[in-house]
Amino acid sequence: MQLKVPALPPDETVQLRTVETELSRTTESTTPESGLRGHRRTATRSPASAVSRALSRLAPHLRRLRPRYPRPGRTGWRRWMPSWRQWLGAVLTFLGLTGAALTVAYAATDIPANLNSYATQQDNVYFWSDGTPMARTGWVRRQDMPLKDIPEDVRWAVLAAENASFYSDPGISLSGVTRAVWRTFGEGDTQGGSTITQQYVKNVYLNQDRSVGRKFTEAMLALKLDNRMSKDDILEGYLNTSWFGRGTYGMQRAAQAYYGKDVGELNVSEAAFLASLLKGAALYDPALSKANHARAVERWSWILDRMVDIGRLSPDERAKYREFPEPLKQTRGYDTGKQSDYLVELAAQYAKKAARLTDKEFDLGGYQIYTTFDRKRETALTDAVTKAREKAAKDHPATAKTAHYGAASVATDGRILAVHGGPDHREQGFNESNATTVPAGSAFQPFVYASALQNGVHRTRDGGPTEVTPETLYDGDDGVPVMTPEGPYWDRGGKQVTARNDGRKDYGRISLHQALAQSVNTPFMQLGMDTGLDKVRRTAVAAGLLGSSFGPQVPALSLGSATPSAIRMASGYATFAAEGTHVEPYSVARITRNGSRVRLAKPASRRAVTAKVAEQVQAALGSAFSLAHPASTARATGKAGTTQNDTAAWYVGTASDVSTAVVAYRIDLGKSLEPLPLKGVAGTPADSVPYDIWSGAVGLR
């Protein structure tokens, strides 16, 4: 009789054989024949044996996962499908490998130490004294603003538009990244999928390359950055580095470009429009096309509605904004070239010096430089010089080509209000208002007069000083020899030095007050010798002239051999109008960098002469103005200045606590820096071109 055993399924057959094998191995290892030898072998098994046993135990399970096709016990298409165990194993393996790869990638990703150039470069912006923009310098139009200075409504308009879950997400959006990758493979596009953190990473660390590799790097950096930086810092960086069109980066520049105001002055409606530009300024700037306008209105409305949905704008507040906030048709322009570049040059030099900034620090940008320049005065001065230049070209076409006009207006408190640097900075780089090119001539007389009144005179070598008053008399005749306590003054060539008046005119004995009022040279040449040329120089420097503009201490110093700039001459006369107190001329009132105040050194101030002396000088200059312009009713002081070789003509005067100096001269820059004779370019004493410019600049004409 035979015992029939039912056939086992294939899997169970494998299991039975495996069990039998294990049982046989166990039996062999415990037979009496093995004895002590088997016991010792077990005790000294190597780690490799342990691994082998573990693999043996896993073998049945691994065999189940191994695909066997066609699968026994299955019919139809199911014979070719993996089992659920195999599916599960594949998924777990994939997830494990992916997790390991991401972990390695995350650990290997380093946040770059340096931001890209577009993220660090900013522009420096210069403002007129009234706070309106004057000019900007730099390759990138960007001004960083601290997050605290960006209104909360503005921030949430951006978050509603771009990433409402910003404060709760880990820095990336898995669904967004997946969508971006799908679009990359499916349609060749990488649009969508970026959180604000990812966009910030792209702005400051990566390029704009559209690839899956760049997207992966972006995600890794975003995850790491989100762990290292606060959300507020990331948002601040994003708002300061994003592109808004019209050549601008950052919310501050965008606010100025589209609405002519700072970001702190934006309302939520305007902020919603600016937030719409982040989707693509070329598609949403209303000034570019009607289609853009329609898209902008639609997205602006959606952003405001979205702010309501996320609880950042109440329905009542939303109801207030039904009309689209039309931006400016075009960006408010900045003056370029011509005079503004001369102003920028002066302000930049002063800013770096007063703020103790290196060229490298200043060139990194981000500074808002609020200058002292008065737009109206600058316009008036420029118009006056332009008119004189055109007249010279008409009346003296041959010599007008080499004519130059330097001018500056300085307030009694040191503020430089206006300058004329030249016809156009792009054509002539050097600044005529700041050039030490030609002598001051008889316009220097007030400094000699002030020094004598302040120090007294010495007519003998060992005697004490003798007081000088405005009524002190001096010889005003032409050709008077210059005297020292020992006798006549002889130059190095052995020639006796004599003083000359314009037109060789004799005035006889004349008071110093009248000598200054009538611009008589000879008394001042002798007065300088009696006072001491070192004291004259010291007084002039204390009043505002630069020591470097003086030459040798010879009698000609009192006739204005020094070569001060127009700025320094105006500053010197302003000292007399300020009751003898001199404030160093300055062109920058304050500086901020990204909203924070930059400390500036205070302009130096000093007592140059006593208030009484300053008053006496002003009285004489008032008489000079009245004598030269008897028909004028203006309350002004001032005098003309000429040189003996007719190479320069000046007019320097004060009106309404502002001193203005104007100089006309000729130089052929293509040949030499030596001044040339004016030959009528500066007019005549009765019709002085410098006075015409001066009167136009101060508003007397």
Side-chain angles (χ1 to χ4, degrees):
M1 180 176 179
Q2 294 182 343
L3 179 63
K4 294 184 178 180
V5 179
L8 297 176
D11 290 346
E12 294 183 14
T13 303
V14 173
Q15 288 181 329
L16 181 60
R17 290 174 181 173
T18 303
V19 171
E20 291 174 350
T21 303
E22 289 295 323
L23 287 173
S24 64
R25 288 178 181 175
T26 303
T27 303
E28 290 175 1
S29 63
T30 57
T31 54
E33 289 80 3
S34 61
L36 182 62
R37 184 178 55 193
H39 175 73
R40 288 176 180 173
R41 187 166 55 245
T42 302
T44 58
R45 281 172 184 166
S46 66
S49 300
V51 172
S52 177
R53 289 199 311 276
L55 291 175
S56 297
R57 294 191 186 98
L58 291 174
H61 306 288
L62 294 176
R63 291 192 188 99
R64 292 185 182 183
L65 295 177
R66 184 180 62 187
R68 294 181 61 189
Y69 298 102
R71 292 182 61 196
R74 300 290 190 272
T75 60
W77 59 269
R78 291 183 178 84
R79 300 172 62 200
W80 302 98
M81 292 297 295
S83 69
W84 66 269
R85 293 184 181 87
Q86 292 167 341
W87 277 113
L88 179 61
V91 169
L92 292 177
T93 301
F94 173 78
L95 292 177
L97 293 175
T98 301
L102 290 175
T103 301
V104 171
Y106 179 85
T109 299
D110 292 324
I111 297 177
N114 299 316
L115 307 183
N116 64 45
S117 60
Y118 281 102
T120 56
Q121 185 67 44
Q122 300 181 61
D123 55 355
N124 291 326
V125 184
Y126 298 79
F127 298 88
W128 294 101
S129 59
D130 62 2
T132 57
M134 181 182 74
R136 71 176 183 88
T137 59
W139 294 103
V140 179
R141 293 186 61 187
R142 176 190 288 117
Q143 288 286 306
D144 286 350
M145 291 294 289
L147 192 65
K148 63 181 179 63
D149 294 334
I150 301 176
E152 192 171 354
D153 282 346
V154 175
R155 301 180 222 167
W156 277 104
V158 172
L159 293 174
E162 295 294 308
N163 187 186
S165 63
F166 170 73
Y167 279 102
S168 60
D169 65 38
I172 66 170
S173 168
L174 293 177
S175 61
V177 171
T178 302
R179 184 169 62 253
V181 172
W182 174 260
R183 291 181 64 88
T184 299
F185 286 115
E187 302 179 28
D189 190 4
T190 57
Q191 294 178 1
S194 293
T195 63
I196 278 180
T197 306
Q198 289 175 263
Q199 293 181 56
Y200 175 62
V201 165
K202 181 177 66 175
N203 289 344
V204 302
Y205 296 122
L206 306 175
N207 54 37
Q208 303 302 312
D209 177 37
R210 292 174 173 267
S211 66
V212 175
R214 200 271 294 158
K215 200 73 179 177
F216 180 77
T217 303
E218 174 190 295
M220 290 296 102
L221 283 173
L223 281 171
K224 185 159 284 190
L225 200 69
D226 193 77
N227 287 327
R228 293 192 181 181
M229 288 179 66
S230 71
K231 288 289 190 178
D232 281 350
D233 287 343
I234 293 172
L235 181 59
E236 178 181 303
Y238 175 73
L239 292 175
N240 284 317
T241 57
S242 296
W243 168 253
F244 285 87
R246 297 194 182 184
T248 63
Y249 289 87
M251 186 64 80
Q252 168 70 356
R253 273 285 169 268
Q256 293 172 343
Y258 288 92
Y259 290 107
K261 60 177 70 172
D262 290 332
V263 65
E265 300 171 348
L266 293 173
N267 61 40
V268 67
S269 179
E270 294 164 338
F273 162 69
L274 293 181
S276 71
L277 296 169
L278 293 168
K279 194 172 180 65
L283 296 174
Y284 291 90
D285 184 349
L288 299 180
S289 68
K290 291 182 178 180
N292 273 20
H293 190 281
R295 278 190 292 265
V297 171
E298 181 181 0
R299 185 155 178 80
W300 160 81
S301 181
W302 177 85
I303 292 172
L304 290 176
D305 292 340
R306 178 67 171 152
M307 291 183 72
V308 174
D309 293 341
I310 63 176
R312 291 297 168 175
L313 191 66
S314 70
D316 290 341
E317 290 175 315
R318 171 65 179 93
K320 297 177 184 178
Y321 303 110
R322 295 300 179 190
E323 185 175 345
F324 180 66
E326 295 289 349
L328 301 173
K329 295 299 181 184
Q330 55 184 342
T331 303
R332 178 181 291 180
Y334 294 87
D335 295 334
T336 56
K338 297 190 177 181
Q339 291 307 304
S340 66
D341 284 357
Y342 294 113
L343 304 182
V344 166
E345 184 180 57
L346 280 176
Q349 291 173 353
Y350 183 84
K352 287 184 281 189
K353 180 179 179 181
R356 295 181 176 87
L357 298 171
T358 64
D359 289 341
K360 182 179 180 180
E361 290 172 330
F362 192 73
D363 290 343
L364 282 176
Y367 295 95
Q368 299 84 47
I369 299 101
Y370 295 87
T371 73
T372 59
F373 302 126
D374 185 298
R375 182 197 291 266
K376 292 181 179 179
R377 287 184 178 273
E378 181 65 33
T379 300
L381 179 58
T382 301
D383 290 345
V385 174
T386 301
K387 182 178 179 181
R389 197 184 300 277
E390 291 173 349
K391 186 175 185 299
K394 180 180 178 181
D395 298 342
H396 308 279
T399 54
K401 294 178 181 179
T402 55
H404 297 269
Y405 305 88
S409 293
V410 179
T412 54
D413 60 4
R415 289 174 296 131
I416 302 175
L417 302 181
V419 301
H420 181 83
D424 190 329
H425 191 273
R426 294 167 295 187
E427 298 175 4
Q428 176 185 293
F430 83 91
N431 190 335
E432 290 171 348
S433 71
N434 204 30
T436 55
T437 308
V438 294
S442 55
F444 186 77
Q445 290 175 0
F447 301 104
V448 182
Y449 184 42
S451 186
L453 293 172
Q454 180 79 19
N455 299 294
V457 297
H458 293 260
R459 291 193 172 92
T460 62
R461 184 63 64 189
D462 299 323
T466 301
E467 183 182 2
V468 171
T469 71
E471 302 307 318
T472 299
L473 299 177
Y474 266 75
D475 192 341
D477 286 343
D478 181 64
V480 175
V482 176
M483 303 298 291
T484 69
E486 289 79 20
Y489 182 91
W490 303 83
D491 64 18
R492 291 186 177 182
K495 183 179 179 181
Q496 185 175 346
V497 177
T498 58
R500 295 291 179 182
N501 290 325
D502 288 344
R504 303 295 178 93
K505 186 176 179 180
D506 293 329
Y507 291 86
R509 300 288 290 179
I510 187 173
S511 71
L512 293 177
H513 177 98
Q514 283 301 115
L516 181 59
Q518 295 179 250
S519 197
V520 183
N521 289 334
T522 53
F524 289 100
M525 198 165 185
Q526 185 59 53
L527 183 64
M529 295 296 293
D530 294 345
T531 304
L533 296 177
D534 58 333
K535 294 185 178 66
V536 171
R537 182 182 184 277
R538 194 179 306 133
T539 299
V541 170
L545 273 62
L546 295 177
S548 58
S549 64
F550 285 85
Q553 290 186 179
V554 296
L557 183 147
S558 298
L559 294 184
S561 62
T563 57
S565 66
I567 291 176
R568 286 293 169 172
M569 281 295 280
S571 178
Y573 274 57
T575 298
F576 302 130
E579 300 181 343
T581 298
H582 172 71
V583 180
E584 278 292 290
Y586 64 97
S587 56
V588 177
R590 65 187 177 95
I591 300 176
T592 59
R593 189 169 196 269
N594 301 331
S596 299
R597 193 76 173 255
V598 176
R599 186 175 180 179
L600 294 179
K602 188 177 180 180
S605 176
R606 58 179 175 267
R607 170 65 64 179
V609 294
T610 65
K612 182 180 179 180
V613 168
E615 182 182 359
Q616 291 169 334
V617 174
Q618 280 292 90
L621 290 172
S623 297
F625 180 81
S626 299
L627 286 173
H629 311 285
S632 177
T633 59
R635 297 184 61 182
T637 63
K639 76 179 300 295
T642 57
T643 59
Q644 290 184 327
N645 51 8
D646 191 39
T647 55
W650 290 81
Y651 195 88
V652 190
T654 304
S656 302
D657 293 328
V658 176
S659 295
T660 300
V662 180
V663 60
Y665 59 96
R666 287 181 60 232
I667 289 181
D668 188 343
L669 295 173
K671 296 181 179 179
S672 170
L673 294 179
E674 285 297 317
L676 302 171
L678 288 168
K679 294 185 177 181
V681 169
T684 64
D687 185 20
S688 167
V689 171
Y691 175 77
D692 286 345
I693 294 173
W694 181 89
S695 60
V698 302
L700 297 184
R701 287 191 178 185

